[in-house]
Amino acid sequence: MNVLAIGCHPDDLEIGCYGTLAKYVKLGHNVSVCHLANGNLGHVEIMPDELRAMRFEEAENAAKVIGAKHYSVDANDLYVTAEDDGLVNRLAAVVREVQPDLIITHYDHDYMNDHMQTYYAALRASFGASLAHYDLNATTPTAPVCPIYHMDPVAGTGFIPTEYVDITDTIDLKLEALACHKSQIVWMRDHDHIDFLEFVRTCSRARGFQCGVDYAEGFRPNLNYLRMTTKRLLP
């Protein structure tokens, strides 16, 4: 299968679903990751232009850890909106190139607007990518409308999974990929006294308790028309 994960900021997918993505890769599937926002406002001291370049490189390195292909739509933080035709068009181009059999993205009741808008942009772009006349300048073929799965928000707040993936064998890869985001991890450790790697491990452990394994990630399928399937697509 071709799997496309669409996150907002450069570390969101690592937090929410990289254990599952690493598992897909181990099983021989093709995995691509795409973030919409460039993360340029994610630091108190590092200025936006410098941070933008830094966070792109961190995301590239994280994708390499699990063997995924990395894309960026490069919108500035707080400017992610599904009403931005240019952003949606750039994301649709990624969808056409990847030809996904399923998409993993944010929950529509996530804790911040950029995350929620990422889901709506993914919904709009993936449908637009299926239309031959949506982008007359496109050089890639249309992509079929595919199922969408919503990943856990940070700390799982307000999210009740209906499906789980056992990531016991990929939890270390997940954390290794997340650790690539030094601009975030080091800052939180040194200035906020938060061990974010341990935080994410603990959240994965809690989901594991819920489904009877050591570590897990939780998901909900999107229930919109044309997005459902009779198949188990999660690994």
Side-chain angles (χ1 to χ4, degrees), residues 4-229:
L4 174 59
I6 301 171
C8 185
H9 304 99
D11 57 357
D12 287 333
L13 296 173
E14 289 84 337
I15 296 167
C17 68
Y18 249 51
T20 297
L21 298 184
K23 194 156 189 167
Y24 276 124
V25 173
K26 282 177 173 283
L27 292 170
H29 300 292
N30 302 311
V31 173
S32 298
V33 296
C34 178
H35 60 268
L36 301 194
N38 54 34
N40 67 329
L41 299 182
H43 207 281
V44 175
E45 294 181 350
I46 303 173
M47 296 303 289
D49 286 347
E50 180 184 356
L51 186 61
R52 169 182 170 270
M54 185 181 299
R55 298 199 71 185
F56 180 89
E57 183 177 0
E58 290 171 346
E60 280 270 298
N61 292 336
K64 289 176 183 176
V65 168
I66 66 167
K69 187 171 183 179
H70 171 233
Y71 297 87
S72 172
V73 171
D74 198 25
N76 288 336
D77 284 6
L78 298 183
Y79 286 89
V80 174
T81 171
E83 302 304 315
D84 183 336
D85 292 341
L87 181 153
V88 171
N89 191 280
R90 295 194 299 276
L91 181 56
V94 174
V95 174
R96 289 193 302 271
E97 182 171 331
V98 173
Q99 295 285 312
D101 295 295
L102 77 154
I103 289 171
I104 296 174
T105 191
H106 292 283
Y107 186 44
D108 59 349
H109 288 88
D110 210 319
Y111 80 100
M112 66 174 298
N113 185 61
D114 278 12
H115 289 194
M116 292 185 284
Q117 289 297 317
T118 293
Y119 155 62
Y120 287 114
L123 187 70
R124 184 182 170 198
S126 60
F127 193 87
S130 74
L131 304 176
H133 294 159
Y134 170 64
D135 182 359
L136 294 177
N137 296 316
T139 58
T140 48
T142 58
V145 175
C146 68
I148 293 176
Y149 287 85
H150 300 286
M151 65 183 179
D152 239 336
V154 175
T157 304
F159 187 84
I160 301 176
T162 58
E163 297 192 44
Y164 294 86
V165 174
D166 181 355
I167 63 163
T168 304
D169 62 341
T170 56
I171 182 65
D172 291 336
L173 274 176
K174 173 186 175 81
L175 296 177
E176 181 183 347
L178 182 57
C180 292
H181 294 272
K182 294 182 175 63
S183 67
Q184 309 300 297
I185 302 300
V186 174
W187 175 264
M188 284 189 284
R189 184 194 67 204
D190 293 348
H191 295 270
D192 299 329
H193 307 294
I194 297 172
D195 185 340
F196 197 64
L197 296 176
E198 186 58 33
F199 171 87
V200 171
R201 179 188 290 275
T202 300
C203 292
S204 299
R205 182 72 172 128
R207 289 304 189 205
F209 279 128
Q210 293 172 1
C211 60
V213 299
D214 289 339
Y215 296 96
E217 290 172 342
F219 299 89
R220 293 181 66 90
N222 184 281
L223 299 180
N224 285 323
Y225 175 61
L226 298 178
R227 300 293 181 172
M228 294 174 283
T229 177

